[in-house]
Coordinates of all heavy atoms in Angstrom, one line a residue:
S58 N 10.0 3.1 20.3 CA 10.2 4.5 20.1 C 9.1 5.0 19.2 O 9.0 4.7 18.0 CB 11.6 4.8 19.4 OG 11.7 6.1 19.1
G59 N 8.2 5.8 19.8 CA 7.0 6.4 19.0 C 5.7 5.8 19.5 O 5.6 4.6 19.5
A60 N 4.8 6.7 19.8 CA 3.5 6.3 20.3 C 2.4 6.7 19.3 O 1.3 7.2 19.7 CB 3.2 6.8 21.7
G61 N 2.7 6.5 18.0 CA 1.6 6.7 17.0 C 0.9 5.4 16.9 O 1.0 4.5 17.7
A62 N 0.1 5.2 15.8 CA -0.7 4.0 15.7 C 0.1 2.8 15.7 O -0.2 1.8 16.4 CB -1.6 4.1 14.4
A63 N 1.2 2.8 14.9 CA 2.1 1.6 14.8 C 2.8 1.3 16.1 O 2.8 0.1 16.6 CB 3.1 1.8 13.7
G64 N 3.3 2.3 16.8 CA 4.1 2.1 18.0 C 3.2 1.6 19.1 O 3.5 0.6 19.8
A81 N 7.8 5.0 24.3 CA 8.2 6.3 24.5 C 7.7 7.3 23.4 O 7.8 6.9 22.2 CB 9.7 6.4 24.4
G82 N 7.1 8.4 23.8 CA 6.7 9.4 22.8 C 5.3 9.9 23.2 O 4.5 9.3 23.9
P83 N 5.0 11.2 22.7 CA 3.7 11.8 23.0 C 2.6 11.0 22.2 O 2.8 10.5 21.1 CB 3.9 13.2 22.5 CG 5.0 13.2 21.5 CD 5.9 12.0 21.9
R91 N -9.3 12.7 9.4 CA -8.9 11.6 8.5 C -9.2 10.3 9.2 O -9.3 10.2 10.5 CB -7.5 11.7 8.0 CG -6.4 11.2 8.9 CD -5.1 11.3 8.2 NE -4.0 10.9 9.0 CZ -3.5 9.7 9.0 NH1 -4.0 8.7 8.3 NH2 -2.5 9.4 9.8
T92 N -9.3 9.3 8.4 CA -9.6 7.9 8.9 C -8.6 6.9 8.4 O -7.8 7.3 7.6 CB -11.0 7.5 8.4 OG1 -10.9 7.4 7.0 CG2 -12.1 8.5 8.8
V93 N -8.7 5.7 8.9 CA -7.8 4.6 8.4 C -8.7 3.5 8.1 O -9.5 3.0 8.9 CB -6.8 4.2 9.5 CG1 -5.9 3.1 8.9 CG2 -6.0 5.4 9.9
A94 N -8.6 3.0 6.8 CA -9.4 1.8 6.4 C -8.5 0.6 6.7 O -7.4 0.5 6.2 CB -9.7 1.9 4.9
L178 N 9.2 12.7 24.1 CA 10.1 12.3 23.0 C 11.4 11.8 23.5 O 11.9 12.3 24.5 CB 10.3 13.6 22.1 CG 9.2 14.1 21.3 CD1 9.5 15.4 20.7 CD2 8.9 13.1 20.2
L179 N 12.0 10.9 22.8 CA 13.4 10.5 23.1 C 14.4 11.5 22.6 O 14.2 12.1 21.4 CB 13.7 9.1 22.5 CG 12.8 8.0 23.1 CD1 13.2 6.7 22.4 CD2 13.0 7.9 24.6
A207 N 9.4 2.9 15.8 CA 8.0 3.2 15.3 C 7.8 4.7 15.3 O 6.8 5.2 15.6 CB 7.0 2.5 16.1
D208 N 9.0 5.4 15.0 CA 9.0 6.9 15.2 C 8.9 7.6 13.9 O 9.5 8.7 13.8 CB 10.2 7.3 16.1 CG 11.4 6.5 15.8 OD1 11.5 5.9 14.7 OD2 12.4 6.6 16.6
G209 N 8.2 7.1 13.0 CA 7.8 7.8 11.8 C 8.9 7.9 10.7 O 10.0 7.3 10.8
P213 N 14.2 8.9 14.5 CA 15.5 9.1 15.2 C 16.1 7.8 15.6 O 17.4 7.7 15.6 CB 15.0 9.8 16.5 CG 13.7 10.4 16.2 CD 13.1 9.5 15.2
T233 N -7.7 16.0 3.4 CA -8.6 15.0 4.0 C -9.7 15.8 4.8 O -9.4 16.9 5.2 CB -7.8 14.1 5.0 OG1 -7.3 14.9 6.1 CG2 -6.7 13.3 4.3
V274 N -10.1 11.4 1.0 CA -8.7 11.5 0.8 C -8.6 11.9 -0.7 O -8.9 11.1 -1.6 CB -7.9 10.2 1.0 CG1 -6.4 10.4 0.8 CG2 -8.2 9.6 2.4
F317 N -1.6 16.9 3.7 CA -0.5 16.1 3.8 C 0.4 16.1 2.5 O -0.2 15.7 1.5 CB -0.9 14.6 4.1 CG -1.7 14.4 5.3 CD1 -3.1 14.6 5.3 CD2 -1.1 14.1 6.5 CE1 -3.8 14.4 6.5 CE2 -1.8 14.0 7.7 CZ -3.2 14.1 7.7
G336 N 6.4 0.2 10.7 CA 5.6 1.3 10.4 C 6.3 2.3 9.4 O 7.1 1.9 8.6
E337 N 6.0 3.6 9.6 CA 6.5 4.5 8.6 C 8.0 4.8 8.9 O 8.7 5.5 8.1 CB 5.7 5.8 8.7 CG 4.3 5.6 8.1 CD 3.7 6.7 7.4 OE1 4.2 7.9 7.5 OE2 2.8 6.5 6.6
P344 N -1.4 7.5 0.3 CA -2.5 6.6 0.7 C -3.4 6.2 -0.5 O -4.5 6.6 -0.6 CB -3.3 7.6 1.7 CG -2.9 8.9 1.2 CD -1.5 8.9 0.7
A347 N -5.2 2.3 0.5 CA -5.3 2.1 1.9 C -4.3 1.1 2.5 O -4.7 0.1 3.1 CB -6.7 1.8 2.4
Q348 N -3.0 1.2 2.1 CA -2.1 0.1 2.5 C -1.2 0.4 3.7 O -0.8 -0.6 4.4 CB -1.2 -0.2 1.3 CG -1.9 -0.8 0.1 CD -2.4 -2.2 0.3 OE1 -1.8 -3.0 1.0 NE2 -3.6 -2.4 -0.2
G349 N -1.0 1.7 4.1 CA 0.0 2.0 5.1 C 0.0 1.3 6.4 O 0.9 0.6 6.8
L350 N -1.1 1.6 7.2 CA -1.1 1.0 8.5 C -1.4 -0.5 8.4 O -1.0 -1.3 9.3 CB -2.2 1.7 9.4 CG -2.2 1.3 10.8 CD1 -0.8 1.6 11.5 CD2 -3.3 2.0 11.6
N351 N -2.1 -1.0 7.4 CA -2.3 -2.4 7.2 C -1.0 -3.1 7.1 O -0.8 -4.2 7.7 CB -3.2 -2.7 5.9 CG -4.6 -2.3 6.1 OD1 -5.3 -3.0 6.8 ND2 -5.1 -1.2 5.5
S353 N 1.8 -2.0 8.3 CA 2.5 -1.8 9.6 C 2.0 -2.9 10.6 O 2.8 -3.4 11.4 CB 2.3 -0.4 10.2 OG 2.6 0.6 9.3
Ligands
FAD24 C1 -4.1 11.0 4.3 C2 -3.7 9.6 4.8 C3 -4.6 8.6 4.7 C4 -4.3 7.3 5.1 N1 -5.2 6.3 5.0 C5 -4.8 5.0 5.4 C6 -5.7 4.0 5.3 O1 -6.9 4.2 4.9 N2 -5.3 2.7 5.6 C7 -4.0 2.5 6.1 O2 -3.7 1.3 6.4 N3 -3.2 3.5 6.2 C8 -3.5 4.7 5.9 N4 -2.6 5.8 6.0 C9 -1.3 5.5 6.6 C10 -1.3 5.5 8.1 O3 -2.1 6.5 8.6 C11 0.1 5.5 8.6 O4 0.8 4.4 8.1 C12 0.1 5.5 10.1 O5 -0.6 6.5 10.7 C13 1.6 5.7 10.4 O6 1.7 5.3 11.6 P1 3.2 5.3 12.3 O7 2.8 5.1 13.7 O8 4.1 4.4 11.6 O9 3.8 6.7 12.1 P2 3.4 8.2 12.8 O10 1.9 8.3 12.8 O11 4.2 9.1 12.0 O12 3.9 8.1 14.2 C14 5.3 8.2 14.5 C15 5.3 8.7 16.0 O13 6.7 8.8 16.4 C16 6.8 9.8 17.3 N5 8.2 10.3 17.4 C17 8.9 11.0 16.5 N6 10.1 11.2 17.0 C18 10.2 10.6 18.2 C19 11.1 10.6 19.2 N7 12.3 11.2 19.1 N8 10.8 10.0 20.4 C20 9.6 9.3 20.5 N9 8.6 9.4 19.6 C21 8.9 10.0 18.5 C22 5.8 10.9 16.7 O14 5.5 11.8 17.7 C23 4.7 10.1 16.2 O15 3.7 9.9 17.2 C24 -3.0 7.1 5.6 C25 -2.1 8.1 5.7 C26 -2.4 9.4 5.3 C27 -1.4 10.5 5.4

Side-chain angles (χ1 to χ4, degrees):
S58 172
R91 81 174 177 95
T92 63
V93 181
L178 288 171
L179 294 180
D208 40 13
T233 63
V274 185
F317 300 87
E337 295 215 337
Q348 294 293 321
L350 190 60
N351 286 288
S353 307

